[in-house]
Amino acid sequence: MQRHTSTSTHNGSDRRDAPTSLGWAMRLYEVTDQIFWATKLSLVWMLFTLAGGVILGVGPATVAAYVLARRHAMDETFHLWPAFAAAYRREFGRGSVLVLPLGAAAGLLITNYFYFTAIGPAAAVARLATLAALVFLTVVAAYLLPMVVHYDLPLRAYLPKASLFALTRPA
């Protein structure tokens, strides 16, 4: 009799375990689906960046990627290629205007860094200051392009706002 009770309890626990294993499989599917989607988005971003000649393509491609990532996070369904192309065309001017000055400043800071490195220990302070400015510029750039998607500001207001965010929330 006791054996029959344990068998019946065992059958009842199988029923309770079934949703858990199904839940685990669904979570695994969702994780792999997100990884696959992010990989596709990264590949499309690379292709459109190259199509824009890198210098003119990186800004609009990055803004388009943020636009689509936001739409995807809101569970909106869309076809990746046409949506990315439309966002790229729509954001080409604004993305270029925001990224080109940052790219020029980064190029100048990298050139200065290598120049101060070539001088040697005499320019250690200048080299470290240049490195700090380059790190700060990287943090500003990390805030700048997502802000274009999340905030509706005049074009000239994005850089000061991103700089303020970088100063107050560097991590």
Side-chain angles (χ1 to χ4, degrees):
M1 184 123 210
Q2 202 175 39
R3 185 174 183 186
H4 179 68
T5 306
S6 75
T7 306
S8 119
T9 306
H10 180 64
N11 288 340
S13 69
D14 281 347
R15 287 187 194 129
R16 280 182 259 132
D17 288 344
T20 305
S21 63
L22 182 61
W24 179 83
M26 286 304 296
R27 277 184 254 145
L28 179 63
Y29 171 78
E30 289 171 0
V31 167
T32 55
D33 186 49
Q34 291 298 321
I35 291 170
F36 183 65
W37 189 85
T39 303
K40 288 190 312 186
L41 183 65
S42 296
L43 289 173
V44 172
W45 176 84
M46 283 188 260
L47 287 172
F48 276 82
T49 299
L50 291 173
V54 178
I55 293 173
L56 291 176
V58 70
T62 305
V63 173
Y66 280 121
V67 166
L68 294 186
R70 182 180 176 145
R71 287 175 60 187
H72 181 74
M74 293 188 304
D75 289 331
E76 189 176 328
T77 58
F78 53 88
H79 293 286
L80 185 62
W81 285 93
F84 197 97
Y88 183 85
R89 281 191 306 273
R90 187 176 56 250
E91 300 295 342
F92 189 83
R94 192 163 56 158
S96 295
V97 165
L98 290 171
V99 169
L100 287 176
L102 290 178
L108 180 64
L109 287 171
I110 290 169
T111 302
N112 286 346
Y113 180 81
F114 284 125
Y115 174 74
F116 293 136
T117 301
I119 290 176
V125 173
R127 181 176 46 85
L128 290 175
T130 303
L131 183 62
L134 191 58
V135 167
F136 179 71
L137 184 67
T138 303
V139 174
V140 168
Y143 278 111
L144 181 67
L145 294 174
M147 288 182 83
V148 172
V149 176
H150 294 289
Y151 297 101
D152 188 23
L153 300 172
L155 195 58
R156 59 180 158 57
Y158 285 110
L159 187 59
K161 187 68 75 176
S163 300
L164 182 62
F165 269 79
L167 286 173
T168 57
R169 298 176 185 104

